[in-house]
Amino acid sequence: METFVANAHKKGQSIGFVPTMGALHAGHISLVERAVAENDVTVVSVFVNPTQFNNPDDLATYPRDEESDFKLLAQAGISVAFAPQVDEIYPGGVENRHKKTFNLGFASSVMEGKYRPGHFQGVAEVVSRLFGIVRPTRAYFGEKDFQQIAVIRNMVETEGINVEIVPCPIKRGDDGLALSSRNALLTPAQRNVAPEIHRALAQSVQYAKDHSVKATHDTVVEQINAVPDMQVEYFEIVDGRTLLPVEEWSESPWVVGCITVYCGKVRLIDNICYKKTI
Ligand code: PAF
C-alpha cells in the first residue's frame, strides 16, 4: 500500500480514499464511484476497526463479507483495496498500542459520543492511521454518519492533516430506509418496519413548518416508538455545524435532526435536514 501511494505521489496523481468497515452496499459504492470519478487513483480500505466498538457483542456480530466486497470494488473500478490485519494498523495488537487521545471538540461529546463512549476516539485513531498510510488527496464519507463527518473534520484540523473531506448524500432503499451494513442483521419483520424511521423524519419536515422544535421532536419520537420492536435511543435537533441543540428554528441557518433507533437489538442511525440556508 505504501509503495503504491509513494508511486502515485511521485507521478503527481491525486488519491481518492474511501475508508469502510466492509459489508459493502450501494451506499458505499456511490462514494467509491464518486472517488473514482474525481481522482487519478482510488483506494478503498476494508477494516472492521476494533477500537471504535464500545460493545464487544456489537464487534462480534458486525457483518463481514470480504469476498463480495472485493467483487463489488473490482466492478466499481478502484485501483487498490486495502484490507489490513489488526496488527498492521495497531502494531503489537490493540491492547499494547500507543493510545493517543485526540482533541475532537464538543461535536464528539454529544449524541453518538454520549451513547457510545470512546467511539469517536476509536474512529479518529483508525482514520488518522489510515490517512497516514494512504496519504489521500480527498477522503469520502457518507452523510448517514453526519456526526462522524463533523468529528473527522475536527480531527483533521487539530492534527494538521492535509486532506479534503468530501461528504456524500445518504443512499436509501426504495422504501426510504438508509442503506447500512447493519440492515443485514434485521429480521424480515424488522426490515419491514425499519423504513418508519425515515418516514417519520420526512413527514416531520412538513410538520416543522408550523410547529415548534420541541413539538417536532416529540412527534418523531412518538411515531417511531409506536412501532412494535422499535425504540428511539435519542433524537436531537441540532445546528449542522456545531451540533449544539437548537431550541428555535430561527436560531441557526442549518438545522439537522439526528436519530438513533433500536430495531430489536440492531442499532440504526439516520438524519434529516430541516433547513440549510448557508
Ligand atoms: O464509517 C465507517 O464505516 C467507519 O467509522 C470508518 C470511517 C470506516 C472508520 O472505521
Side-chain angles (χ1 to χ4, degrees):
M1 189 69 253
E2 283 168 347
T3 308
F4 174 87
V5 165
N7 281 334
H9 279 295
K10 221 184 277 166
K11 290 187 214 153
Q13 292 176 317
S14 60
I15 301 179
F17 179 42
V18 184
T20 81
M21 296 209 297
L24 302 181
H25 48 69
H28 294 111
I29 300 304
S30 71
L31 310 189
V32 171
E33 285 172 351
R34 180 148 172 205
V36 169
E38 294 180 356
N39 298 278
D40 296 318
V41 295
T42 295
V43 176
V44 179
S45 62
V46 175
F47 180 65
V48 181
N49 171 37
T51 68
Q52 71 187 76
F53 286 82
N54 56 320
N55 174 348
D57 287 346
D58 193 19
L59 174 60
T61 56
Y62 197 82
R64 297 169 199 239
D65 190 351
E66 282 199 352
E67 206 178 304
S68 150
D69 292 345
F70 294 144
K71 259 193 216 145
L72 289 170
L73 292 174
Q75 281 162 10
I78 67 161
S79 316
V80 183
F82 178 44
Q85 298 299 309
V86 170
D87 61 1
E88 289 177 280
I89 297 297
Y90 299 111
V94 168
E95 296 308 323
N96 299 323
R97 76 197 194 277
H98 168 71
K99 204 170 163 197
K100 172 171 172 180
T101 303
F102 291 84
N103 173 9
L104 303 173
F106 175 80
S108 71
S109 63
V110 290
M111 302 192 286
E112 292 299 283
K114 185 166 147 203
Y115 287 90
R116 299 183 72 188
H119 168 66
F120 284 128
Q121 284 295 331
V123 170
E125 201 174 0
V126 75
V127 172
S128 71
R129 287 179 190 229
L130 290 168
F131 280 178
I133 297 167
V134 178
R135 296 193 282 136
T137 317
R138 299 182 189 87
Y140 297 78
F141 294 90
E143 282 180 330
K144 181 172 72 64
D145 296 296
F146 185 81
Q147 186 176 6
Q148 173 170 273
I149 297 178
V151 170
I152 288 173
R153 281 193 195 285
N154 287 350
M155 185 274 286
V156 161
E157 198 178 308
T158 53
E159 295 294 304
I161 302 174
N162 184 15
V163 55
E164 183 188 339
I165 302 298
V166 185
C168 303
I170 301 178
K171 275 274 172 196
R172 300 185 179 279
D174 292 341
D175 54 12
L177 180 64
L179 297 188
S180 162
S181 305
R182 289 175 195 271
N183 295 354
L185 302 172
L186 297 168
T187 64
Q190 290 166 344
R191 177 64 189 77
N192 257 344
V193 291
E196 194 61 28
I197 302 170
H198 177 63
R199 203 169 300 133
L201 291 175
Q203 286 171 0
S204 76
V205 173
Q206 192 57 31
Y207 184 88
K209 297 207 164 107
D210 45 16
H211 290 85
S212 67
V213 172
K214 179 166 183 335
T216 305
H217 168 274
D218 293 351
T219 190
V220 167
V221 174
E222 269 166 35
Q223 189 170 336
I224 295 174
N225 283 348
V227 179
D229 225 12
M230 283 177 84
Q231 185 69 43
V232 174
E233 184 175 46
Y234 67 78
F235 176 47
E236 295 200 12
I237 299 180
V238 300
D239 180 295
R241 297 156 303 181
T242 61
L243 306 189
L244 280 163
V246 161
E247 279 169 15
E248 305 285 339
W249 298 115
S250 57
E251 245 171 64
S252 161
W254 186 13
V255 181
V256 180
C258 298
I259 197 162
T260 296
V261 179
Y262 272 99
C263 202
K265 285 192 169 153
V266 186
R267 193 172 182 275
L268 300 176
I269 73 173
D270 203 344
N271 61 75
I272 197 91
C273 181
Y274 287 104
K275 158 182 178 191
K276 189 168 184 189
T277 55
I278 47 167

